[in-house]
Structures are given as C-alpha cells and as structure tokens.
C-alpha cells in the first residue's frame, strides 16, 4: 500500500491522539508503570493537541502518514496511521542550532510496514531544508525496536542521558544524533 506523508491539520487531531496513546502503550510496556499506560486517554491527549494548535505551532513540524482506509471503496477514504513531530532542539544542555525529532509513532498493527521510515524521511527532509546541521532525539532505554530503527537510519548515541518521572518511577532516556546533509542552494 502507498503511504502519503503530509502536514498535520486540525482535522487530524483525534486520529493523531489515538496513534500516540496506542503507540505509548505498545512501545513502553514493561519500560514504565503499566498503570500509567493503562490510564492514558485519547480524549485528553486530543484536548492537549487542540490547545497546541490553538496557540500556534511556531517552528514545530507535525506530519501524519495516511493510507487508504480498509474498505475505503471508490471514494478514496484514508486513515491516519502514523505521526511525527520535530523542530528546534529544546534542551538547554547543548548550544542551540540543532533540530530534534520530538516524537514518531505508528499504529501498532502497522509497525514494520515502512510508515515510520516514510515519516522519518520526510521529517529529515524538512529539517534539512531549514538548514539544521544535526538532528537529535531521545529514546527510552530498553526500547529495542526504537534503538534498531534509529540505528538503521544513521543515528547513534551521543553520550547524553537523562531520566524523567512517570507515576513515581524513573524512566531513563538515551540521546541519539545524526548529521543532516547541507541543504542544496541554487546560485543565481
């Protein structure tokens, strides 16, 4: 099936919230408290995304991947099957100027179908266009699927580590980095 990656719109918020919550519940099972994952709410996540959209996205790029919906018929119906978000690097531990992939999630039943790769490819293209020299991201330690995915895409740990608290448990993360190609400029 063909995957289309495009800019997220406000109409995509509910679908993105569902992808994000189900993505967390799948990716982080066994890596953070199950009670927290079980309590995640698609409705609450969608409300937060609506607030982000209402405030304006600034330099943040939100992308969705969509495929023809099962039984989409002749009308060409599609469904959102993935979401990625990126922009300027947010932490203050490094000099500014780098980009960050904030999130990338795919519907769990569509993992391994190339959707994550399509989202990452488009995110990297857009960050290259904005002339960022590097892109960084954080991976929850022990998320082997994500570690393999990013390694195949040319990312490597850069030595950065931190943790955050989720429902009373510390969740360690490892930072990865990848150089971006210099944007091609035409000289007139």
């Amino acid at each position: 099936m063909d995957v289309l990656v495009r800019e997220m719109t406000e109409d995509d918020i509910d679908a993105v919230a569902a992808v994000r919550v189900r993505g967390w519940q799948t990716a982080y099972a066994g890596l953070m408290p199950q009670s927290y994952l079980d309590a995640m709410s698609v409705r609450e996540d969608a409300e937060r995304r609506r607030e982000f959209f209402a405030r304006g996205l600034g330099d943040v790029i939100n992308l969705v991947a969509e495929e023809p919906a099962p039984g989409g018929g002749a009308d060409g119906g599609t469904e959102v099957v993935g979401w990625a978000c990126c922009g300027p690097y947010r932490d203050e531990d490094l000099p500014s100027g780098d980009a960050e992939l904030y999130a990338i999630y795919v519907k769990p039943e569509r993992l391994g179908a190339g959707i994550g790769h399509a989202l990452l490819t488009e995110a990297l293209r857009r960050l290259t266009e904005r002339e960022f020299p590097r892109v960084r991201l954080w991976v929850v330690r022990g998320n082997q699927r994500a570690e393999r995915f990013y390694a195949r895409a040319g990312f490597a740990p850069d030595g950065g580590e931190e943790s955050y608290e989720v429902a009373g448990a510390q969740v360690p993360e490892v930072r990865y980095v990848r150089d971006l190609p210099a944007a091609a400029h035409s000289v007139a």
Side-chain angles (χ1 to χ4, degrees):
M1 278 190 192
D2 290 326
V3 175
L4 169 69
V5 176
R6 62 171 173 76
E7 195 84 24
M8 179 182 167
T9 69
E10 209 166 341
D11 291 341
D12 298 317
I13 289 174
D14 290 326
V16 165
V19 166
R20 184 180 172 281
V21 167
R22 290 185 57 219
W24 265 67
Q25 290 169 332
T26 300
Y28 304 132
L31 300 175
M32 59 181 61
Q34 191 61 44
S35 59
Y36 177 82
L37 296 172
D38 291 343
M40 291 182 76
S41 163
V42 172
R43 183 185 53 76
E44 290 172 10
D45 192 79
E47 288 173 12
R48 280 192 298 279
R49 298 230 167 272
R50 281 189 184 80
E51 290 173 18
F52 295 147
F53 262 78
R55 287 195 310 257
L57 300 175
D59 291 335
V60 175
I61 300 166
N62 278 276
L63 302 170
V64 294
E66 63 182 9
E67 291 181 327
D75 67 353
T78 61
E79 70 173 323
V80 171
V81 293
W83 167 71
C85 185
C86 58
Y89 185 72
R90 300 172 291 181
D91 289 350
E92 296 177 5
D93 65 326
L94 295 173
S96 63
D98 287 350
E100 182 176 354
L101 179 64
Y102 308 136
I104 186 167
Y105 292 99
V106 172
K107 277 187 163 186
E109 64 272 17
R110 299 296 295 133
L111 289 171
I115 297 163
H117 177 76
L119 283 163
L120 181 60
T121 299
E122 181 61 14
L124 295 176
R125 186 188 70 75
R126 290 179 184 224
L127 293 171
T128 298
E129 281 182 351
R130 291 186 181 190
E131 299 183 1
F132 286 104
R134 283 168 298 283
V135 60
R136 298 180 189 273
L137 57 88
W138 291 94
V139 175
V140 171
R141 184 183 303 283
N143 184 346
Q144 295 175 353
R145 178 183 283 274
E147 292 167 351
R148 287 188 307 267
F149 174 77
Y150 292 121
R152 282 192 309 269
F155 286 85
D158 71 358
E161 295 187 21
E162 66 181 26
S163 61
Y164 60 98
E165 186 177 320
V166 174
Q170 288 298 309
V171 177
E173 291 185 304
V174 177
R175 188 175 56 213
Y176 284 66
V177 66
R178 175 188 155 163
D179 289 339
L180 292 172
H185 294 61
S186 59
V187 178

